[in-house]
Amino acid sequence: MSPQIDADSVPDRCLSFTVRSSWGHFKRVGRSVTKQTYRIPPRTTIAGMLAAIVGADRDSYYDVFGADNAAIAITPLSDLRTINIPTVGVGTDPGQDVTTKVGNYYSTYNLTYQDTTKDRQLHAYEVLADPAYRIDVALEDEAFYTDLREHLTSGTSVYPPSLGKSEYLATIEDVRSGQSPGRIENDTTIDVDSIVPGSLSDAIPQGGVTYGIERSPAVMEQDGGGRRTTRFDDYVYTQQAENSVRIKADADPAPVSVGSRTVVFR
Amino acid sequence: MNKRPIPEDFQNALDEYWHARPPASLEDVMALYGILAVAESGGSLYTTPSKLQPFVDDGRLVTISLDLTGDAPEIADLSQDVLRKEDIPKLGYSHKSSGRGAKYSLTQIGSKNGNDAKGVSNTILGRIRSWTGQDSIQSLIGEAGHPDGWLIEMLAEVFEKDSETLTSLQSKIIDLLPSDESIPYVVTVRMKLNAENLESIDTTDQEWFYPAEITVLKEAMKRYATANAANKNIDKGASEGQGTDVVSGGEGRVVGTPESPLGIFSVKHPDSQPGLRKTESWRNYPISDDVAMLFAKGQDLIERCVYRNGGMETYVLPYFAGEMTGLKADALYRAIDSVDRGRQIDESADPPMAQVTFNLTENENPAIRELAKQELRFYTISMPISDDKNIIAEEPAATVYWPTELAEALRKTIDGPTLSPANGGFEQFNNWPLLTLDTDTTRARRLAFARITNHEFTDAVFAYRDEEGDDFRRVVDHRLLSGTPLDVKTLFEEYLQRYDNASEGSDSPPVQIVAQQLVHLETLSRAGLLKGIDVPIEHTDTMTNTEPMIDTSNIAAIREHRLDAFLDRPLFDDKTRKAAALAGVLVGQISWHQDSVRGVGRPLDAGTKGDQLTKHGLENALTAALEKAKVYAQDSNRSFDRDLLFPETVDRLLDETETMPTDWEIDKRELQFCYVLGHAHGRRSMPVAFQMHEGDEAKNDKTATAESTAK
């Protein structure tokens, strides 16, 4: 049977694994002129990565990762460090750098391809250095969940998982299946290892700990010829992996323990 | 209308346009600033009543009354009267400041300097026609449009070029208005409508309506005002759809090319955005009409919060991390409004971040001071000033905690033994940002905060950069703002490159360069923002900076005392570091002697530059220095030169190490930095001793020294 997820997004069972790469880039919405990355992979990115592992088609899996039938917790395991890497690339503007002229006037075929004889252009990408995240995931879709568990435990995947860009191939480590999250009862404060949905004002200040905040896509749906985001989430994180987000025990998020970690699912 | 907004005005604007979440993204902050601007300009997002102010009483309102209840529209009346203040709300005027042609509302204006009758009949009526013909307004007609779209269609018919109605209107205007007098005109259309035929109208007992009373006309105004947000840089079609707004989270019409005040979002260059389909941008970046308008409105306030310096611009946008209220919005607005971009404090630029911080943290209202303490955050972004946008550092929730800590650490360092000659330190110097602050503690903290937030803290000690490209110094500034410690290896590397930048030919750079670097290093260590080294840089005991008892009648005694005090710091607990520093001191002292006593053209340190120093090179220099210390002593007839020049240094050097530098185990840059520190001390060891000297033994030397110090 697949996991059941309650109204607080807490599942009764979940899969846990670590995903790691040398680099990561999770392109931010609202930035097109600059290429910047979120510090934390958006929930939709995790959905896409898991869909790649089980080999789901594009646009086919959004319902599996809906707001109510999927629960995902993300815990950064490395310090969130970024650097700007200049890259050179061939242009992709259909009006300028792409040609369909091949063969001669009488050809019955044409090809669209990039004109590689032009000057390369310089673009700086902001990338995460040595990113590693612990992902806890539960899906109510039984077939998908079973597939995912089998791929993860046997170390296989249909498409290779990567952290944001295909060249940042990721490794999956330390897979645990059948974890059962347990509610944490505490009367004052709780230190959460994962990112915590909500706003900065929910995080209790701690000396020497810098909180960051992001808002990124969380849930998507198929729409016409493409997809659209139906929910964006705010979440608080800490720059250093060893620090945790401290929240009031009676705050909205429902922290649970998964193994030795305290996480919040969403 | 031009009065300053009060907290209620902000509360109203928040109620109207703000979501319930505290700000969490740059988009949130931009929208928040738009809301502040809405409250500032009278409370409306689209209409701009204040722009009609110049027409009130001096100008005329021309009202075209159309009867639209029949099958065909009829001109019922044309009248003109003085424009009164109370007319303004019903006109629903929305100003378009850029470009020519029609304003966003059906109500149009002529020139502020006035038009004659012909001008009104041609130009202003032409604008009404142009308004009805806008693509964005026409999109309300038809099945996919607004249920009352037919009203717009009918208006278009009335004002159609060469139509009967338009021609007759034109001649009526010529008859009505004075032909030889220029008067500022506002022209509006009043419509007689059957309320039951229209969704746009709630009341049933009213016959005549003004533009501000008809929903479909307001919707048309919105569409026109935000047209650019859906089709900017798109040749054909527009980027629009139904979706979830990234800021408000609300469902509805969204557009995909909103205004980007920082210029970081655009669909202009598909070549640099692989796979970009311009008309689909709304899927990735869905922005509602209202939020797109808020972005545009907030631009002026954002511009107040930018600090430009050295080819870089740093946006530091203040906000409160908690739930927004009218009171908070009011405080935020006032803080931003108070920023004076040209302000200086003690010849250092006082950047917006410092001004906003102190406006709030030292506010006369204790509630605001507390708010600043708890909730003040800054969204910071640094990029080179260029059309080619490239963000090199960004911090979404910087607090004032770290810059405040650093400012206090800098103040303590400058006040401490490191810049006290009697305690073996360097001297304070004016016009060097890290070598002096105000003597008053409060003003010193304020000044230190400014120097940390205006880049001087980093720029004073890091290697120079070309103006183009990524400036690592700004990345460092952002790390400090967010409390990320800096690695000592990175710092030594930068310090020594700066040492090289500041050197001229074979001359060592001024002592102030090295002194600032030590102050910088110590400040970071004191604030807890230094890593990669096993010891603190500041003195660990709570050493008070009182003038110690020294025998100031004896040059050698002063030198010895100062050397001991200089070496008495945790950095030199390590024997190799201490030996490297002592080697530097001796080379500096001998070089000074060569320079000012013996007139040697090329002193020893000219060939032993700190930033190029190798262990081997240091060994040679040290051997030469020891030798010369003996040789020169024999030539000297001064009482404080015994059989060896600078015996205190030589003695301590021999105490510390029995091996020569080539056998030392020390990182290259660490060796170099310890050496230049020692060298900077050694070069000034005699001059400072002369300054402190109170005997009459060496009057002549004092004069000689004054000359050599001045160079």
Side-chain angles (χ1 to χ4, degrees), chain A residues 23-29 31 34-42 81-84 124-129 131 133 163-164 168 214 235 237, chain B residues 394:
Chain A
W23 307 106
H25 179 82
F26 311 113
K27 193 169 187 314
R28 300 170 61 150
V29 306
R31 309 287 166 95
T34 62
K35 284 115 189 87
Q36 289 168 278
T37 177
Y38 288 114
R39 301 302 186 257
I40 309 293
R81 191 164 60 88
T82 63
I83 59 172
N84 292 329
Y125 274 82
E126 182 194 44
V127 298
L128 290 151
Y133 304 93
L163 284 186
Y168 303 150
E214 270 177 0
Y235 46 82
Y237 58 88
Chain B
E394 178 168 357

Side-chain angles (χ1 to χ4, degrees), chain A:
Chain A
M1 224 184 73
S2 67
Q4 296 302 304
I5 298 165
D6 73 12
D8 290 337
S9 290
V10 176
D12 57 356
R13 270 179 305 133
C14 69
L15 283 164
S16 303
F17 61 92
T18 298
V19 58
R20 177 188 299 282
S21 183
S22 311
W23 307 106
H25 179 82
F26 311 113
K27 193 169 187 314
R28 300 170 61 150
V29 306
R31 309 287 166 95
S32 60
V33 181
T34 62
K35 284 115 189 87
Q36 289 168 278
T37 177
Y38 288 114
R39 301 302 186 257
I40 309 293
R43 190 176 178 278
T44 51
T45 302
I46 299 297
M49 188 174 76
L50 299 178
I53 291 174
V54 303
D57 286 345
R58 186 190 168 91
D59 292 346
S60 73
Y61 60 89
Y62 308 142
D63 291 345
V64 176
F65 293 91
D68 303 323
N69 58 355
I72 296 173
I74 304 171
T75 309
L77 299 181
S78 60
D79 293 351
L80 298 169
R81 191 164 60 88
T82 63
I83 59 172
N84 292 329
I85 297 188
T87 64
V88 283
V90 182
T92 57
D93 184 352
Q96 288 180 23
D97 305 312
V98 169
T99 178
T100 52
K101 289 195 197 83
V102 72
N104 57 38
Y105 179 78
Y106 301 102
S107 299
T108 54
Y109 59 88
N110 64 33
L111 276 177
T112 303
Y113 62 94
Q114 280 179 298
D115 183 353
T116 54
T117 59
K118 293 208 171 176
D119 288 343
R120 267 59 176 168
Q121 291 187 355
L122 186 69
H123 300 294
Y125 274 82
E126 182 194 44
V127 298
L128 290 151
D130 297 319
Y133 304 93
R134 185 78 179 159
I135 309 291
D136 304 294
V137 58
L139 304 170
E140 289 189 348
D141 185 307
E142 184 155 9
F144 199 106
Y145 191 71
T146 311
D147 251 15
L148 178 63
R149 186 180 57 220
E150 278 166 13
H151 274 295
L152 287 176
T153 47
S154 59
T156 58
S157 76
V158 176
Y159 304 108
S162 62
L163 284 186
K165 295 183 76 180
S166 58
E167 54 263 49
Y168 303 150
L169 286 177
T171 54
I172 306 267
E173 300 162 359
D174 196 12
V175 178
R176 302 273 168 86
S177 63
Q179 303 250 70
S180 29
R183 291 268 187 169
I184 292 179
E185 302 298 337
N186 195 321
D187 21 329
T188 51
T189 62
I190 298 176
D191 288 351
V192 182
D193 299 306
S194 74
I195 61 165
V196 177
S199 71
L200 276 175
S201 54
D202 300 330
I204 299 168
Q206 306 170 68
V209 176
T210 303
Y211 293 122
I213 186 151
E214 270 177 0
R215 178 172 177 77
S216 71
V219 182
M220 303 186 283
E221 68 179 14
Q222 217 239 314
D223 161 68
R227 58 194 187 193
R228 63 183 176 197
T229 307
T230 56
R231 194 183 90 195
F232 294 88
D233 281 353
D234 298 347
Y235 46 82
V236 179
Y237 58 88
T238 61
Q239 306 264 355
Q240 270 77 36
E242 76 263 18
N243 294 334
S244 46
V245 180
R246 181 168 297 169
I247 58 169
K248 287 204 182 77
D250 59 359
D252 269 348
V256 291
S257 61
V258 175
S260 59
R261 288 167 304 119
T262 303
V263 305
V264 175
F265 282 93
R266 59 183 170 120

Side-chain angles (χ1 to χ4, degrees), chain B residues 26 105 348 391 412 465 534 684:
Chain B
L26 180 61
S105 54
S348 287
I391 291 181
K412 281 188 183 155
R465 295 293 196 282
D534 49 354
R684 307 261 319 145

